[in-house]
Amino acid sequence: MKNNFLSQYTKKMRGYDKCPKHENFSEIFWSSLGCFVTIVLISFIDTSSQHLFTEQPLFVAPVGASTIMIFGLPNSIYAQPRNVIGGHFIAALCGVTALILFRETEIFACAIAVMCTMLAMHATKTIHPPGGATALLAVIGGESITNLGYLFAFVPCLTNSIMLIMCGIIFNNIPKSRQYPRFWI
């Protein structure tokens, strides 16, 4: 019985499909251009308006992963507005809460932050994989992030997510071959 289980288990690791073909040049072009313009725009807004909010960074690394999803996988469930906005916002709330409750044990706070983020995203149907990085950032992001407390969920997470979605809507709908978003609610 042990051998049968182990055999079945290891068979799963072989995979069951072939690697997908490359996208056509037009898709690669629009995906890349969308990523470039979005990151430049958010970076510019960050540097020019930082003093208006918190004197803290308004632009955080998980935005890079979300940008790749919105432009590289615009039809993915996980790249839709509900998931991007809700996923980052929930992840930030979970991360800050974990930091507050478990500040003395950073490793545990990180694990709790990501676990709670996964639970909350499932419960709200807002799974967005880069949210895992957002939850971790709330715990290990350094003073410029951790000092924000729950404000981190609003600025930068919510503001970045909204800017990402706006850019995604504008750029992903320019070519005839694309339509974004697939759904809102």
Side-chain angles (χ1 to χ4, degrees):
M1 187 147 137
K2 266 187 179 178
N3 266 347
N4 190 29
F5 170 77
L6 189 57
S7 174
Q8 291 297 320
Y9 183 72
T10 55
K11 274 186 184 179
K12 291 180 180 182
M13 296 177 199
R14 295 181 192 160
Y16 63 89
D17 207 354
K18 292 182 180 181
C19 183
K21 294 179 181 179
H22 284 286
E23 293 287 343
N24 65 43
F25 178 77
S26 176
E27 289 295 310
I28 294 169
F29 172 79
W30 284 106
S31 295
S32 302
L33 182 62
C35 287
F36 175 80
V37 171
T38 299
I39 295 300
V40 166
L41 178 66
I42 294 174
S43 296
F44 175 75
I45 290 170
D46 175 44
T47 56
S48 62
S49 65
Q50 201 174 64
H51 67 282
L52 296 176
F53 296 104
T54 61
E55 295 294 331
Q56 303 296 336
L58 303 176
F59 184 43
V60 291
V63 166
S66 296
T67 303
I68 296 292
M69 291 191 78
I70 290 168
F71 294 101
L73 302 165
N75 293 320
S76 168
I77 291 169
Y78 310 118
Q80 300 311 303
R82 169 191 178 90
N83 296 67
V84 174
I85 295 168
H88 281 299
F89 188 72
I90 287 167
L93 293 175
C94 291
V96 171
T97 302
L99 175 65
I100 290 168
L101 296 175
F102 304 102
R103 187 176 293 274
E104 300 304 315
T105 53
E106 190 175 90
I107 293 170
F108 192 69
C110 286
I112 290 291
V114 175
M115 179 193 75
C116 289
T117 295
M118 185 81 270
L119 287 168
M121 283 190 206
H122 268 296
T124 58
K125 297 182 186 176
T126 57
I127 295 175
H128 183 61
T134 299
L136 285 175
L137 187 62
V139 177
I140 62 170
E143 285 185 20
S144 66
I145 297 294
T146 59
N147 286 344
L148 293 173
Y150 287 108
L151 180 60
F152 175 67
F154 296 93
V155 179
C157 294
L158 188 60
T159 56
N160 282 187
S161 297
I162 291 169
M163 287 188 277
L164 283 171
I165 295 306
M166 290 169 50
C167 290
I169 290 168
I170 292 167
F171 283 95
N172 280 329
N173 288 307
I174 292 172
K176 290 180 183 177
S177 62
R178 289 178 166 228
Q179 181 178 350
Y180 181 83
R182 279 178 52 193
F183 59 86
W184 284 92
I185 300 173

